[in-house]
Amino acid sequence: MPTASVTTTHQSGGLTFSDVIPDRVHGKVGVAETGEVNKIYYIQNLKQAENIFGRGQLIDSLKQYFEEFDEELGQKPVPLLCVRPDNDIPGIVATPTLEGSGLATIAINGSPSGSRSVKIKITKAGAGGIAEYRKSVDGGLSYGAPLVTPVSGASINLDVGVSATFTDDVTSPEQTFALGDVWSFEISGPAASNSSRLAAFEAFKQEYRVYWIHLLGGVDRNFAVSLDSVLQVMETELNQPIFAVLEGMSFDEAEAKKGSDFADIAEYLQYIADEYDPFFSDRVCIVASEGRYIPGGIANAGGYEVVLASEIPLGEWRNAATLLTAKIASGAPNVSAAYVREKRSLTMSEIRYWKEGYQDYMDLLHDMRLTVLKEYNDYDGIFIARDRMKSGPDSDFVEIPERRRADKMHRIVYRESLQFLNQDTNIGSGSGGIKYIQAVADAAVSSSMEVSGRQEISKHEIIFDPDKDFSQTKILKAKLKMFIAGRIKAIEWTTSFAVTQ
């Protein structure tokens, strides 16, 4: 892809933390309850993330991300950089539900600051001030100690800024709360609008440690186009080549955009296919697949057979983008996230909608260059089918490994060239200076990407100043070409680096 003649400002591409392979580091953007808005945080582990962000979509993704590294295969969890957007869409509390015979009336107060699944279980019957209850904020997985209910008209704190006020029954106050009553409250915290998510995404501009960005939450075609425009600016104006991993719309998100209900799963999958069909980008990957996430990992739950045989389904459905980002980070740029030998999911046990029609649509979605999940007859577990870019039919960047290698080579050539472009001595067109810069860049690419035993490319070519006009323009143009073993056709692109002002 041609790159415009630009003036750039370069920041160090090296990471400030040790023992980390830079080209495996990515950024995540997702809703959280705490932490400064649009600030980039360097995250090494889940505990640190929880201290910063509290709870929310971002924490849920990070938990799965760190669980997906197979340390038995030598996969060391890779740190990453995270941003939370402004939560500019207010939260809501669903209508409370009661399982039981108590006669209490209820009113909800407050504005949610986070999401919780609250249950109040009555452990002693009676009126307010006499009855006792236990509260859970994790959907009933765990409960606190017994507490006396407030008197009629006083509130019970449900967490995250929300409270419930119970009022005794007028005629039979002693029947206000019955033993075994369970009140349930689904609290949905604030969300982020697309404009807020875009601003958080743009926070990574000139953050040169990031090699790709994962944006949490579904995106439609229009939003994908907006994000692609940001990626193009980052490449052409900032010499910051990165790609984005985006999540396809879930069933509910697609129904909301469509404005009506789907007749069945097949109609939803066809809608997804149609939604992303006209969109192409060499820098966007869209994951159009969901898997059942098992908290703590499949092994900790007893293994695949135990998980699949459970009468009550374990875990929850999630888009597979977090799985993809973990598998990308666990390997070198030339290793596909779909490599069966090393990339089986450690946290996802099955593919959503498989029996309802997904298996019939998977090939269609795959052919449209969407990233999907796959099962194999000879291997237990769930795998990424291919880590595909949403690129056009004639693109060289069909899959993520090609994109990663090209971006890595681009960064190396830029970094090695910049030190000479900003020096005081004049480098004329066609002079020994240009040849020297080319030799330095050649050596850097070779030593980083063509090392015997861990080759990422088989060879490369760099041609600086092909038009011999650097002395007039002060724009150093470059033709870059990389060769991949086993492929006849090389991948070639052009770019340009400018002397900073």
Side-chain angles (χ1 to χ4, degrees), residues 408-425:
K408 182 175 180 178
M409 182 175 167
H410 181 124
R411 288 179 181 232
I412 292 170
V413 173
Y414 174 55
R415 183 180 65 241
E416 297 302 322
S417 303
L418 192 69
Q419 59 183 318
F420 299 103
L421 295 180
N422 288 336
Q423 67 184 6
D424 293 334
T425 56

Side-chain angles (χ1 to χ4, degrees), residues 42-53:
Y42 160 53
I43 301 299
Q44 291 181 289
N45 54 57
L46 181 62
K47 184 62 177 177
Q48 179 199 12
E50 289 173 338
N51 290 338
I52 295 171
F53 296 113

Side-chain angles (χ1 to χ4, degrees), residues 290-327:
E290 294 179 61
R292 185 180 291 281
Y293 165 68
I294 309 299
I298 293 168
N300 288 339
Y304 285 101
E305 292 184 2
V306 172
V307 168
L308 295 178
S310 175
E311 293 184 4
I312 301 175
L314 302 177
E316 63 184 22
W317 297 113
R318 287 188 184 178
N319 187 280
T322 294
L323 165 65
L324 173 64
T325 59
K327 296 311 179 186

Side-chain angles (χ1 to χ4, degrees), residues 1 8 106 128 155 173 211 258 262 414 437:
M1 179 181 294
T8 63
I106 187 173
S155 297
Y211 277 69
K258 178 173 178 280
F262 294 114
Y414 174 55
I437 297 174

Side-chain angles (χ1 to χ4, degrees), residues 1 12 17 80 122 146 151 181 222 237-238 269 287 354 360 394 411 432 442 474:
M1 179 181 294
S12 173
F17 35 93
L80 65 171
I122 303 303
V151 296
D181 282 356
N222 290 336
E237 296 184 16
L238 303 173
L269 294 171
V287 182
W354 184 258
D360 299 322
D394 299 325
R411 288 179 181 232
D442 273 326
K474 299 302 179 184

Side-chain angles (χ1 to χ4, degrees), residues 148-276:
V148 177
T149 58
V151 296
S152 180
S155 297
I156 292 177
N157 176 28
L158 300 181
D159 215 357
V160 293
V162 178
S163 63
T165 301
F166 291 95
T167 303
D168 286 354
D169 184 68
V170 175
T171 58
S172 303
E174 72 280 0
Q175 297 181 35
T176 297
F177 296 103
L179 182 64
D181 282 356
V182 178
W183 286 89
S184 298
F185 309 82
E186 289 300 323
I187 303 174
S188 299
S193 65
N194 280 349
S195 60
S196 177
R197 296 164 73 199
L198 181 62
F201 189 92
E202 290 183 309
F204 284 108
K205 281 184 176 179
Q206 293 187 280
E207 173 50 82
Y208 287 86
R209 294 176 295 177
V210 170
Y211 277 69
W212 71 94
I213 301 173
H214 172 202
L215 179 70
L216 290 157
V219 301
D220 60 14
R221 181 173 67 248
N222 290 336
F223 193 34
V225 169
S226 297
L227 295 164
D228 181 58
S229 297
V230 175
L231 295 171
Q232 300 304 322
V233 169
M234 293 171 79
E235 177 194 9
T236 59
E237 296 184 16
L238 303 173
N239 271 299
Q240 185 188 2
I242 66 172
F243 62 95
V245 174
L246 307 180
E247 300 184 358
M249 290 184 292
S250 68
F251 187 95
D252 291 341
E253 289 168 331
E255 272 195 340
K257 184 181 182 204
K258 178 173 178 280
S260 60
D261 295 341
F262 294 114
D264 51 27
I265 297 303
E267 185 180 353
Y268 158 65
L269 294 171
Q270 184 62 54
Y271 182 87
I272 290 296
D274 295 340
E275 175 68 20
Y276 301 115

